[in-house]
Amino acid sequence: MADAGLAFGAFNQWILKPYKAGGFNADAANRKRTIAKAVAAGAFSLNRLNAARKMINADPTLCKSLKAPVEAVWATATAAIEKIKTGDVSGIGDASSALEDMRKQAKDDGLNIKDRQPPSGF
């Protein structure tokens, strides 16, 4: 589940943390840069999440338990990242909840999805 870990790590580092810190607020310093980083991190996260989706769908055991959670993450993260492009952060909370729900379901099935940092220079 390395791909999921990379997706989760990028989302948490460059989208959720700045969101919680108020980095997307209209009066935040470097708001445009924060949004640009979030959009790039979002694209990376979706790419890695798509790789995880393919792996889950190809494995009958994983498919039974993680297909619904990974599809929920895909839908909410895609919507959140599209909104971020316009400065709308209203979908970040839902995407974060879906990520954590998937992480919990995976853990219940004996898989541990740990946040992983993307390669340096990201």
Side-chain angles (χ1 to χ4, degrees):
M1 297 301 288
D3 288 315
L6 286 167
F8 287 25
F11 182 88
N12 286 326
Q13 179 69 34
W14 285 287
I15 298 174
L16 189 59
K17 279 185 183 180
Y19 171 71
K20 287 181 175 180
F24 295 104
N25 293 346
D27 61 346
N30 300 315
R31 178 176 186 260
K32 287 182 182 181
R33 191 171 105 198
T34 301
I35 290 171
K37 283 184 176 184
V39 169
F44 177 82
S45 292
L46 290 176
N47 177 276
R48 293 299 78 213
L49 188 59
N50 193 42
R53 284 171 73 202
K54 288 177 182 177
M55 184 186 76
I56 288 167
N57 286 325
D59 184 315
T61 303
L62 291 176
C63 195
K64 283 182 186 177
S65 61
L66 293 179
K67 183 169 178 63
V70 77
E71 293 304 327
V73 170
W74 178 260
T76 58
T78 300
I81 292 159
E82 284 301 313
K83 288 180 179 181
I84 290 170
K85 290 177 183 178
T86 65
D88 179 353
V89 296
S90 64
I92 293 174
D94 290 341
S96 178
S97 292
L99 287 169
E100 292 311 313
D101 289 347
M102 182 179 163
R103 188 187 317 261
K104 183 183 179 314
Q105 182 62 50
K107 188 172 185 171
D108 289 349
D109 292 337
L111 298 169
N112 192 11
I113 301 175
K114 293 183 180 180
D115 286 3
R116 296 184 63 192
Q117 293 303 312
S120 62
F122 173 75

